[in-house]
Amino acid sequence: MAERIYIFDTTLRDGEQAPGYSMNLEEKIRVARQLETLGVDIIEAGFAISSPGDFESVEAIAKSVNDVTVASLARALEKDIDAAWNAVKKANRPRIHVFLATSDLHLQYKLKMSREEALERIKKEVSYARNLCPDIEFSLEDATRTDLDYMCRVVEAAINAGATTINLPDTVGYASPGDITDMVSTVINRVPNIDKAIISMHCHDDLGQATANSLAGVKAGARQIECTLCGIGERAGNTALEEVVMAMKTRPDIYNAETNIKTEELCRSARLLSSITGVRIFPSKAIVGDNAFAHESGIHQHGMMANSKTYEIMTPESVGVVKTNYVLGKHSGKHAFSKKLDELGYVLPEAEIARLFDEFKKLCDRKKNVSDRDIVALVESTEAVAKQTWSLSSYVVNSGNKITSTACIALKNGDKVIEGVASGTGPVYASLRAVEKIIHHPFSLDDYQLQAVTEHRDALGEALVKISDGSGVYRGRGVSTDVIEASILACLNAVNRMLEGGSSSISGGKPASSLSFDNDMLVGHTDKEVE
Ligand code: KIV
Ligand code: ZN
């Protein structure tokens, strides 16, 4: 019988810790709900002690999901464990994840503790945590650089103190698959009470080995894998959830393992993360990248036509790839549209479907054939912003290689329509500056990205922006067949979040560092204004 492997998702903790991936409360809850739909076994929702915002989001996630364990990270300290417990205790299945480094390097230089002192601390704090919560994970941080004899003593003591999962992280991505096999086999063979706990792998990707190492752990007897969507995480990231899951599914002959993951939800989960964080999925990313199932070369295409197995080891459908089907257009009615939303897996309230249908109709006036990917872009670009303070009424932009670009923009706020005119070195610059003048709230543009959603000339353009105003960083997304309109919509999406206040900030009140654009690009610019 296949071995059941538990999937512990740490997108919202280790993943969110990585620069550029921070999310606000509402976004974390959306990701957590999607992870539940995806079928992960454990969601590590955050590090409750690290900030009031983290505590609040771990607690909110614990209350928002039902059928999944919710964990919070805690150092081996009572105050951390108390915070973790207070944040997760309302979950149907709470877990406290306690960690302490065990390598001599970390003990000597970071913790300034002897091995014996660390062992005593682990016994004390794991048993403290176990008195609060029945499900305790203990992680030996930097396990792959820990002395194996000492590791076996720590694991035995942690299990005796009440740990039910023992995690052996490759914290710095240093190990090779052979090292992992040796480490896991040693622990299984030498720790007398190991049958009372599950062994978990948590691998970082510094040498590009995280997936191989996690799978080596499974082969050697680990039963939990800690991973993140698209492998996001500290430095080079963590093990990618979609990779380990599909490796085990595609090669039962090697792993003889099964998970609870609904693999058809993999692409949607990755897309949701990308649309929330504004970080694109690399086109050749295994499993969920745009090119993961694209066959360009003639030889491959020929083989695929004869028998798809020649070049395809798994089907695009099995991971939920959205195909470009031109099925909807100007004459499609609301029924066909809502059926399409259904097929694409969107369960939305009636009012939201009606609103999207209006957007779809507007799109049909500009684009003859509307593909599944266009519809996905439409749905994902119009995620809710609690208060839609400003909306676009109209715009005229004048641009050329021999003139300074000018933008005349009219924005609606309640019943009022306010116009602003501005100039700039390009049409996007001029437009964003006009928006800034209308809203009377200066902001910097920290990042701007533009890409086509589909291949054709009438493709939808998707703009992603990050703006900041000194008290927070705000993301926005907009799609349109006109890239200037997409840019203005993305800017307004971010502006509305900014005006909505702190809860939608993604940086906890810290101004983000400038990414690809000059921070001063909008604020304080001295260009001549038209009006
Ligand atoms: O990489 C690591 O060691 C960790 C632990 C805290 C589990 O993230
Ligand atoms: Zn980690």
Side-chain angles (χ1 to χ4, degrees):
M1 220 180 65
E3 289 290 342
R4 173 75 156 85
I5 304 299
Y6 296 95
I7 297 296
F8 175 115
D9 183 278
T10 183
T11 304
L12 295 169
R13 199 277 297 168
D14 213 323
E16 209 252 352
Q17 236 163 268
Y21 288 99
S22 46
M23 294 170 232
N24 65 34
L25 178 64
E26 169 225 325
E27 292 166 339
K28 286 183 188 172
I29 292 174
R30 286 178 65 207
V31 171
R33 291 206 168 116
Q34 177 58 29
L35 289 171
E36 185 177 27
T37 306
L38 178 63
V40 308
D41 299 287
I42 302 110
I43 293 175
E44 186 163 51
F47 189 2
I49 191 85
S50 66
S51 71
D54 247 54
F55 181 93
E56 193 191 349
S57 51
V58 177
E59 192 181 37
I61 290 167
K63 291 184 197 154
S64 309
V65 293
N66 300 309
D67 204 16
V68 54
T69 297
V70 179
S72 170
L73 187 65
R75 287 167 300 181
L77 291 171
E78 277 171 26
K79 62 173 180 172
D80 279 41
I81 294 169
D82 287 339
W85 174 238
N86 286 327
V88 296
K89 67 184 175 198
K90 300 249 169 66
N92 285 348
R93 300 204 301 258
R95 172 180 293 190
I96 304 176
H97 177 188
V98 182
F99 76 100
L100 190 77
T102 49
S103 66
D104 288 338
L105 203 62
H106 279 234
L107 286 174
Q108 187 180 344
Y109 293 102
K110 188 180 83 177
L111 299 174
K112 303 198 184 345
M113 254 186 205
S114 69
R115 286 187 184 181
E116 296 314 308
E117 283 167 337
L119 191 62
E120 287 314 306
R121 170 80 75 84
I122 291 163
K123 287 184 198 161
K124 180 166 167 270
E125 300 304 333
V126 169
S127 94
Y128 180 79
R130 180 59 196 257
N131 282 331
L132 298 171
C133 178
D135 185 348
I136 301 299
E137 172 166 335
F138 178 70
S139 283
L140 293 80
E141 192 190 6
D142 205 20
T144 51
R145 294 190 297 171
T146 296
D147 174 71
L148 281 177
D149 290 333
Y150 180 58
M151 176 182 296
C152 290
R153 290 178 62 209
V154 168
V155 172
E156 184 179 354
I159 296 173
N160 278 337
T164 42
T165 300
I166 293 291
N167 186 32
L168 303 174
D170 185 22
T171 303
V172 290
Y174 173 74
S176 72
D179 296 334
I180 299 286
T181 307
D182 289 347
M183 176 178 75
V184 174
S185 311
T186 303
V187 167
I188 290 178
N189 294 329
R190 303 223 316 241
V191 175
N193 53 359
I194 195 66
D195 58 314
K196 299 199 171 57
I198 280 179
I199 298 180
S200 167
M201 299 311 308
H202 175 114
C203 297
H204 281 269
D205 207 30
D206 300 66
L207 293 174
Q209 309 243 50
T211 297
N213 283 341
S214 300
L215 293 169
V218 166
K219 272 292 274 175
R223 291 292 168 262
Q224 175 177 289
I225 298 180
E226 306 201 352
C227 45
T228 59
L229 293 173
C230 301
I232 70 166
E234 284 279 6
R235 306 180 310 280
N238 288 64
T239 302
L241 182 152
E242 62 278 7
E243 293 177 13
V244 279
V245 166
M246 289 312 289
M248 290 187 283
K249 184 166 176 173
T250 308
R251 298 302 306 271
D253 53 324
I254 300 180
Y255 301 109
N256 188 30
E258 62 184 23
T259 67
N260 189 40
I261 296 295
K262 291 166 200 62
T263 59
E264 300 77 14
E265 291 289 329
L266 285 170
C267 280
R268 188 200 317 282
S269 307
R271 275 200 322 268
L272 175 69
L273 179 71
S274 163
S275 79
I276 283 179
T277 58
V279 182
R280 289 196 191 294
I281 305 170
F282 192 57
S284 56
K285 170 77 195 67
I287 319 293
V288 295
D290 270 355
N291 294 349
F293 292 90
H295 300 273
E296 284 291 328
S297 101
I299 297 174
H300 286 207
Q301 286 173 352
H302 179 240
M304 285 288 294
M305 277 188 268
N307 181 339
S308 62
K309 287 197 176 129
T310 50
Y311 286 101
E312 217 163 65
I313 55 168
M314 54 201 154
T315 64
E317 294 76 25
S318 68
V319 300
V321 169
V322 175
K323 287 200 238 108
T324 302
N325 295 335
Y326 291 99
V327 285
L328 295 187
K330 212 183 175 111
H331 301 294
S332 308
K334 185 149 171 232
H335 182 70
F337 179 72
S338 88
K339 195 157 162 267
K340 177 53 75 187
L341 288 178
D342 229 42
E343 269 170 41
L344 292 171
Y346 292 110
V347 184
L348 300 168
E350 261 315 303
E352 184 61 4
I353 296 176
R355 192 183 64 74
L356 285 167
F357 184 62
D358 284 347
E359 295 296 323
F360 162 74
K361 281 288 174 191
K362 283 186 212 153
L363 181 58
C364 292
D365 285 340
R366 293 171 167 199
K367 203 172 185 294
K368 197 161 156 248
N369 295 314
V370 177
S371 73
D372 288 0
R373 276 162 61 189
D374 291 324
I375 293 174
V376 168
L378 209 65
V379 177
E380 292 176 359
S381 71
T382 53
E383 47 173 302
V385 173
K387 208 159 162 254
Q388 194 75 30
T389 312
W390 294 99
S391 61
L392 179 62
S393 174
S394 65
Y395 67 96
V396 177
V397 172
N398 199 5
S399 181
N401 62 345
K402 298 267 164 53
I403 55 166
T404 302
S405 301
T406 53
C408 173
I409 295 195
L411 298 184
K412 250 176 113 172
N413 184 343
D415 298 337
K416 279 186 292 179
V417 174
I418 303 178
E419 273 193 15
V421 180
S423 60
T425 46
V428 173
Y429 183 169
S431 304
L432 270 57
R433 183 139 172 71
V435 168
E436 190 184 39
K437 285 173 73 178
I438 298 171
I439 65 167
H440 288 296
H441 189 120
F443 58 85
S444 309
L445 182 63
D446 295 339
D447 192 20
Y448 172 80
Q449 300 175 46
L450 186 65
Q451 79 160 12
V453 171
T454 47
E455 300 79 18
H456 303 281
R457 287 183 191 195
D458 63 351
L460 276 179
E462 177 192 53
L464 298 169
V465 301
K466 259 187 210 164
I467 63 170
S468 60
D469 66 350
S471 64
V473 183
Y474 308 87
R475 272 187 293 262
R477 195 160 181 267
V479 292
S480 168
T481 47
D482 178 330
V483 294
I484 304 299
E485 183 175 16
S487 307
I488 300 170
L489 291 173
C491 172
L492 289 177
N493 189 228
V495 158
N496 285 324
R497 287 171 176 277
M498 176 170 77
L499 301 178
E500 202 184 309
S503 69
S504 45
S505 164
I506 54 170
S507 69
K510 287 174 266 138
S513 58
S514 170
L515 298 169
S516 58
F517 272 55
D518 177 0
N519 246 350
D520 287 337
M521 184 169 162
L522 295 169
V523 181
H525 193 78
T526 53
D527 257 11
K528 172 175 77 96
E529 282 157 17
V530 175
E531 225 173 59

